[in-house]
Amino acid sequence: MKISLIAGLVAVGLLGACSAPQQYAEVEKGTVVNQVAVESIVKHDKAVVNASAIPVVDSAALKSKLTSLADGEELILEPGKYPDLGVLKIKANNVVIKAKEPGKSWFTGLVQLVLEGDNITLDGVVFSEGGPAERMGGIRFKGNNNTLQNSTFYFFNDKYKYEPDARRDEYPKYLWIAMWGKNNKILNNTFQGKHKRGTLLGIQKEKGDETADNHVIKGNLFYDHKHNQYEEFFYSDAIRYNSNSWEVIRVGDSKSSIYPSKTLIEDNLFYECDGETELVSLKSGGNNIRGNTIMNSASMISLRHGTYNTVENNIILGNSKYRSGGIRLYDEGHVIRNNYIERVMGTGNVRGGIAINTGITDVQNGERLSTEVKGKGLNKQATPYKVTIENNTVINSRQNILYSDKVHRVSIYDNSKVGMIYAGTDIKFKNNLSYAKIKKTLAVKGNDEKAKLVNPTYENELYFGKTKGLELPSQGISTAEPELKVGANGLIEAVGYDGGAKNLKVLTMADTGASYTIQK
């Protein structure tokens, strides 16, 4: 159902727990919870663009102009809905394509803008009432130093062929944005209502490219990202792969995951994003996920492939939503620092507040994933190694900290299991608060018999609540119940404890997204 951004946020956010009880667990009376109200998240004074008031205009002249832009030219788009532009390649450099009135120049029907030039800015436009003209999205960034800003993708799910294939009942994967090139930026845009399979924003490298990308994704609003709205899970034998590739952001892919991307994902708001396990999926190295707010989302930050990524200063509020999660990790050299995670309800051997997954590489003996070793290619699971986890707060989640014991499948299309798994190795824990007081919550969960962490270290850790499946050392860990208080930012702090997450800002709709909102 297509609803306005404002009304949708209020209806789902305010009424979710009572009108859709299957999505949220009950919270025990007397439980200390964050004081971040949905009303404060959705409150703003942005201009409202009425979709029905925008006329359909002839797109022929615009199509000609876009493909013949000269270097350095500025194109101002008059208000109107420009239908079925198709695939258009913009080859000019140093150009600006800007809506005369932000939010009132629409690209409808089937469209794909291919930004082949450098220093192109696309500003204030809307992609809606249609879909990508080709599966790699409504926009393909191919050049360098290009920017999408103050623009909106609004239920851009229509017009293209979308049905399962005859071979294995698999649905196609259509992105909204695909990004190559270097130093591109996605700034202060709104992405609402992606309801068909395919990553919303995917970053990839050209074949043979081993250099950093240095993209920036900042200040955006991602909202109402849902799976199975078109019964993609109808075919039971195909659920495993049809339930994959619903990420909001993917940085890299397995083939190029050994190379750096150095992409910054900063100051974005993710609200009601329920695509799949992975909300933001890193498949490359050197990235930074920093200062984002994730609220009421049945998904999690996933460090799937790649090394030396940093996840810091993020706020993740599950608010007892089923299948919500925090941060999960594989591979080497990451820093997980100063994140606040509360009441994420994911269970099993994948989801948790902070989930340290198992891998299939014997890192103690120097083994790494490699295209040269059968069964241990770059699309497999690299064992977590030399990861620093410090100054995080995890509150009243089903599995605050998870030492996973997962036995991995051979592939997404082969459900048989691998022969050997390895637990996280040389993991450093410092100054983390894990508080689990309410029913069905665990401060730490593991499985020492099957996947005991190797050489972990603990310093000034505070774990209050039940643990399961493991024996923790007494040195470096306190289990005393702390006094809790709610800070000025609405988040929970432990009184007198020099640890946990500090100095965080909860982002709102007023802080993020385009300067206008759309109503139909």
Side-chain angles (χ1 to χ4, degrees):
M1 179 176 62
K2 299 184 180 181
I3 53 179
S4 77
L5 188 56
I6 303 172
L9 280 166
V10 174
V12 177
L14 292 178
L15 304 179
C18 57
S19 64
Q22 75 278 6
Q23 289 191 322
Y24 293 86
E26 293 184 5
V27 179
E28 296 174 44
K29 186 176 293 187
T31 300
V32 178
V33 299
N34 71 77
Q35 297 301 300
V36 179
V38 171
E39 295 96 323
S40 69
I41 296 293
V42 305
K43 185 178 180 180
H44 66 87
D45 57 0
K46 295 180 180 182
V48 176
V49 173
N50 188 338
S52 62
I54 301 173
V56 177
V57 297
D58 182 22
S59 59
L62 177 59
K63 184 182 295 189
S64 175
K65 187 62 179 175
L66 287 171
T67 54
S68 61
L69 285 169
D71 289 355
E73 191 171 358
E74 181 178 65
L75 175 61
I76 303 299
L77 302 175
E78 293 292 332
K81 296 179 180 178
Y82 298 88
D84 295 315
L85 291 170
V87 178
L88 293 179
K89 295 182 179 180
I90 301 172
K91 299 183 178 182
N93 302 310
N94 305 305
V95 300
V96 175
I97 303 165
K98 184 176 183 179
K100 185 176 182 179
E101 299 180 55
K104 294 186 179 181
S105 296
W106 288 39
F107 298 147
T108 62
L110 294 177
V111 57
Q112 181 183 87
L113 302 184
V114 185
L115 308 185
E116 292 189 348
D118 298 334
N119 297 297
I120 300 170
T121 297
L122 190 60
D123 188 350
V125 301
V126 174
F127 290 75
S128 188
E129 297 181 2
E134 187 270 339
R135 78 171 196 89
M136 295 308 290
I139 304 176
R140 294 179 69 183
F141 285 77
K142 297 293 285 185
N144 306 318
N145 301 296
N146 295 322
T147 300
L148 174 70
Q149 63 188 29
N150 200 31
S151 295
T152 296
F153 278 67
Y154 183 84
F155 293 93
F156 191 57
N157 303 308
D158 302 322
K159 305 295 186 182
Y160 59 89
K161 184 178 179 180
Y162 188 70
E163 57 186 39
D165 64 22
R167 181 185 174 198
R168 55 188 177 207
D169 297 321
E170 182 171 5
Y171 278 83
K173 296 176 282 189
Y174 274 75
L175 288 74
W176 278 2
I177 296 176
M179 187 179 292
W180 288 264
K182 306 295 176 184
N183 306 305
N184 294 310
K185 297 180 174 64
I186 307 290
L187 306 176
N188 299 105
N189 305 284
T190 296
F191 300 93
Q192 180 182 356
K194 191 172 196 310
H195 288 176
K196 286 183 178 177
R197 189 179 183 221
T199 303
L200 191 155
L201 194 168
I203 294 172
Q204 40 270 315
K205 293 180 180 294
E206 299 287 359
K207 187 175 181 180
D209 180 11
E210 301 180 6
T211 63
D213 305 315
N214 298 310
H215 301 310
V216 175
I217 302 168
K218 184 172 182 177
N220 303 283
L221 169 64
F222 299 93
Y223 167 59
D224 189 14
H225 188 72
K226 308 294 183 187
H227 62 220
N228 201 34
Q229 302 299 294
Y230 294 81
E231 298 186 343
E232 291 92 345
F233 300 171
F234 175 79
Y235 301 98
S236 58
D237 292 341
I239 287 177
R240 178 163 165 75
Y241 39 89
N242 278 332
S243 62
N244 194 38
S245 296
W246 298 80
E247 309 98 324
V248 173
I249 300 172
R250 173 182 47 75
V251 184
D253 55 38
S254 59
K255 297 186 293 295
S256 61
S257 59
I258 56 176
Y259 306 122
S261 180
K262 295 187 178 180
T263 288
L264 174 64
I265 302 172
E266 182 177 38
D267 294 343
N268 303 284
L269 172 60
F270 300 84
Y271 191 97
E272 292 285 351
C273 292
D274 303 334
E276 58 152 282
T277 303
E278 297 183 313
L279 176 76
V280 177
S281 178
L282 298 187
K283 297 184 177 182
S284 53
N287 303 291
N288 195 323
I289 302 175
R290 181 172 70 201
N292 304 282
T293 296
I294 302 169
M295 189 171 182
N296 295 4
S297 295
S299 196
M300 60 196 305
I301 295 171
S302 177
L303 280 56
R304 181 62 185 84
H305 301 298
T307 59
Y308 298 95
N309 292 299
T310 300
V311 182
E312 60 184 349
N313 304 337
N314 300 286
I315 298 169
I316 304 176
L317 303 177
N319 291 334
S320 299
K321 187 172 188 175
Y322 290 126
R323 301 183 68 80
S324 53
I327 303 163
R328 73 165 184 166
L329 60 98
Y330 298 90
D331 225 316
E332 180 178 350
H334 307 306
V335 176
I336 313 299
R337 177 173 54 215
N338 204 53
N339 301 285
Y340 181 95
I341 303 166
E342 183 185 344
R343 285 187 291 131
V344 296
M345 294 291 106
T347 58
N349 52 21
V350 171
R351 299 178 191 250
I354 299 174
I356 303 164
N357 285 82
T358 57
I360 65 169
T361 50
D362 183 2
V363 293
Q364 281 188 294
N365 290 307
E367 186 179 41
R368 299 291 186 272
L369 296 178
S370 171
T371 56
E372 306 299 321
V373 181
K374 184 177 180 180
K376 297 202 175 183
L378 298 180
N379 63 334
K380 303 302 181 183
Q381 300 81 19
T383 302
Y385 182 49
K386 293 186 176 179
V387 174
T388 297
I389 301 173
E390 61 184 4
N391 289 95
N392 301 285
T393 294
V394 190
I395 301 286
N396 284 332
S397 299
R398 289 292 297 273
Q399 301 174 159
N400 282 7
I401 301 174
L402 172 66
Y403 304 165
S404 176
D405 61 0
K406 182 177 176 63
V407 178
H408 301 283
R409 294 179 172 89
V410 171
S411 78
I412 194 170
Y413 302 110
D414 184 346
N415 282 330
S416 58
K417 303 296 181 67
V418 300
M420 179 71 72
I421 59 169
Y422 297 89
T425 301
D426 295 347
I427 311 297
K428 177 183 177 181
F429 298 90
K430 182 179 179 180
N431 298 335
N432 297 290
L433 168 63
S434 177
Y435 181 94
K437 189 171 184 178
I438 64 177
K439 293 178 182 178
K440 297 183 179 181
T441 62
L442 294 170
V444 188
K445 179 185 176 183
N447 186 338
D448 278 356
E449 293 184 3
K450 188 175 176 181
K452 184 176 181 179
L453 290 192
V454 179
N455 301 325
T457 61
Y458 301 89
E459 180 180 346
N460 192 36
E461 295 284 278
L462 176 50
Y463 297 164
F464 174 75
K466 294 181 180 179
T467 63
K468 182 178 180 180
L470 77 172
E471 184 175 344
L472 292 167
S474 57
Q475 187 173 357
I477 300 175
S478 171
T479 59
E481 180 175 6
E483 178 187 351
L484 300 181
K485 71 172 185 178
V486 177
N489 58 3
L491 305 178
I492 298 170
E493 302 172 1
V495 177
Y497 172 55
D498 185 22
K502 309 287 187 186
N503 302 317
L504 297 175
K505 179 183 178 181
V506 180
L507 296 176
T508 71
M509 195 170 164
D511 303 318
T512 58
S515 62
Y516 54 89
T517 187
I518 293 171
Q519 183 153 7
K520 283 199 171 184

